[in-house]
Amino acid sequence: MQATLSNSQPSTLGTIGQLVLIVVLIPVGLIAGALTGIVVMSSILGMALPLLVATWFLRRERSGWRDLGFGVSMPFMRFLAYTLVTVASIFFFAEGLLRWGLEAAGLPPIDLSSLRDLVHDDLTYYLLFLIPISWGSAAFGEELLVRGFILNRLETLTNNPMSAVVAQAAIFAVAHFYQGITGVLVVFVIGLIMGAVFIRCGRNLWPVIVAHGLADTIAVTSFYFGWNLL
């Protein structure tokens, strides 16, 4: 079963206004979370605030997240295939070939040393970054917001799925500015992969949610054990 788009979309101006507000709320949430002094709250509020507002927009339009591809069933083997292809593509093309090429060209490497130092050999921080961050704000939060809500609204504006995929990848990448230029470019390609898979699999969010969670789980686990995977 494929997701169906809502028949009660806002006007063009309203859609632009929604997108602007959602994008602005991401850094607002990040800053508000950082001000709490609790290390994981920045990522949590950075997704929670725009998600709450996006949910309100959907309810006002008598729509919901299911209309954007969340909670929609699909055959297990098809889901598994899309999920595994997505994870493999992220690590081979984005985190592998592209990242290596950018660093070989002289761009600075992605600096995740602060996260690595927090998580390494610390079970508490490992679980915090694994569950509420990797699977909460990242896998569920970012996929609902970016691949679900933002991509849908961008497609309404452009009337072109591929243009919407590129635009949502750009927004997704800029939100990871803290990783530097190399990180932004790598995340942009990851956004392209996620967006393309979401469209290709019938606008079902489950493959990209689980793929995102698995990719982040591999990253955080490698930091915990001190493996040099990333």
Side-chain angles (χ1 to χ4, degrees):
M1 179 179 178
Q2 295 184 356
T4 56
L5 297 178
S6 170
N7 292 321
S8 180
Q9 295 283 358
S11 65
T12 298
L13 189 59
T15 300
I16 294 172
Q18 288 185 6
L19 284 171
V20 170
L21 180 57
I22 291 298
V23 170
V24 167
L25 283 174
I26 295 173
V28 169
L30 291 172
I31 294 169
L35 291 175
T36 66
I38 302 172
V39 68
V40 297
M41 287 305 295
S42 184
S43 295
I44 292 172
L45 289 183
M47 281 296 102
L49 286 181
L51 276 172
L52 285 172
V53 173
T55 301
W56 179 71
F57 285 146
L58 292 172
R59 288 184 177 234
R60 193 177 62 173
E61 296 157 18
R62 296 180 182 175
S63 182
W65 290 106
R66 185 177 178 83
D67 297 305
L68 302 184
F70 180 64
V72 180
S73 63
M74 69 186 305
F76 177 74
M77 293 307 296
R78 189 163 178 257
F79 155 76
L80 184 62
Y82 276 115
T83 301
L84 294 178
V85 166
T86 305
V87 174
S89 298
I90 289 171
F91 283 104
F92 183 75
F93 293 110
E95 294 285 358
L97 290 177
L98 176 63
R99 185 169 175 178
W100 174 85
L102 292 172
E103 293 179 5
L107 289 182
I110 301 173
D111 185 8
L112 296 174
S113 57
S114 58
L115 175 58
R116 194 187 306 269
D117 292 343
L118 274 175
V119 173
H120 179 57
D121 210 24
D122 189 313
L123 184 59
T124 300
Y125 274 119
Y126 170 67
L127 293 175
L128 283 173
F129 278 94
L130 180 67
I131 300 170
I133 302 301
S134 295
W135 284 97
S137 63
F140 280 90
E142 290 178 7
E143 296 310 315
L144 281 170
L145 188 68
V146 183
R147 254 60 69 182
F149 188 86
I150 291 177
L151 193 153
N152 170 259
R153 292 303 195 251
L154 288 168
E155 189 176 357
T156 299
L157 289 175
T158 63
N159 200 29
N160 185 317
M162 289 303 100
S163 295
V165 166
V166 173
Q168 61 83 32
I171 293 170
F172 183 55
V174 171
H176 291 76
F177 66 92
Y178 60 89
Q179 295 186 15
I181 182 61
T182 303
V184 166
L185 293 173
V186 168
V187 172
F188 174 71
V189 173
I190 292 174
L192 291 178
I193 293 169
M194 294 287 204
V197 169
F198 172 65
I199 296 293
R200 183 68 182 83
C201 75
R203 299 171 188 276
N204 193 309
L205 283 169
W206 279 117
V208 290
I209 286 172
V210 175
H212 196 151
L214 289 174
D216 281 12
T217 296
I218 292 169
V220 173
T221 301
S222 74
F223 295 158
Y224 176 72
F225 286 106
W227 300 335
N228 256 335
L229 297 180
L230 296 171

